[in-house]
Amino acid sequence: MITRLPSFFLLPVDVRVMSQERGISSLHNEVVDQKYKHLGTALSNEQKEQLLTQLQVFQTALISFQEEHSSEIINDEQIRTTFQEICSAFGIPPLVVASTLEGQEAEIERNNQLCLKMIELCTETRPINGGIITVDDLVELINEDSWVNKDLHMKFTSKDVLEACSHLKIMGGELQLIQIGKRNYIKSIPQELDVDQSTIIDTANILGYVSISILRDNFGWKSSRCRSTIDEMISYGILWVDKEPGHETKYWAASWINV
């Protein structure tokens, strides 16, 4: 008696073989995929450990270089720039290197790196403020740096900046601490401020700006004296011009401007 074969056996042989092995092949592929994922994770972890080791070695080398050449790094702009670029290329800001030291050595190196950070920020903000920035504004910029407040958990104060300025003066650095009125400023330009310029800066930091009439009415200056002094300060980038139709021109202090 001939029994009707199930429809499965009526399929071509190669199709039947594929159908029979589909479940096993799928399971086999899943196992292989898991092994590859595990291998990939293991390789990734190994590479990460190797990279961290290399970075630690390089960081140690940077510390040694700083210890030996700290004076040159502070005083030579080319060496300082190159050193900062090397640190940044490896994701290791100079302040991070300083944070790895301990004791008196750490305090000295921390002070050195604060000096470098001050020089860096004063240079970066020079096109905005003309090379004159209040100590309070500089402290705020330093503490806004993510490496300082998040990674290193550091918080600098005005006192720290003033001490760093004293250190820079001894080392012959390019930053100069000046006092105008009751406020301390950091000057990073070679030009010396005369009495009239200092008066304008002090006045501008009260209202945020000065004008010809304000200087004339409060200090008895002639208009020509006001204009010549203001024009010179504009050329340095210390004051920003604000012309509004129908109103007297105002000259704003950079610290009051959000760029």
Side-chain angles (χ1 to χ4, degrees), residues 2 10 17 26 29-30 38 58 60 64 67 74 82 91 104 112 114 146 162 182 193 202 205 209 214 226 230 235 252:
I2 299 176
L10 298 177
V17 172
S26 177
N29 289 336
E30 289 180 4
H38 179 71
F58 194 80
T60 301
S64 299
E67 291 175 350
I74 289 176
T82 302
Q104 185 177 4
N112 287 341
L114 177 56
S146 60
L162 294 177
K182 296 181 180 180
L193 297 177
D202 189 32
N205 277 302
Y209 67 91
I214 287 176
C226 298
I230 287 175
S235 69
W252 287 84

Side-chain angles (χ1 to χ4, degrees), residues 23-24 41 48 53 61 102 108 119 135 196 258:
I24 297 176
T41 303
K48 183 178 180 181
T53 301
E102 297 179 354
I108 294 173
I119 294 173
V135 170
D196 286 358
N258 293 321

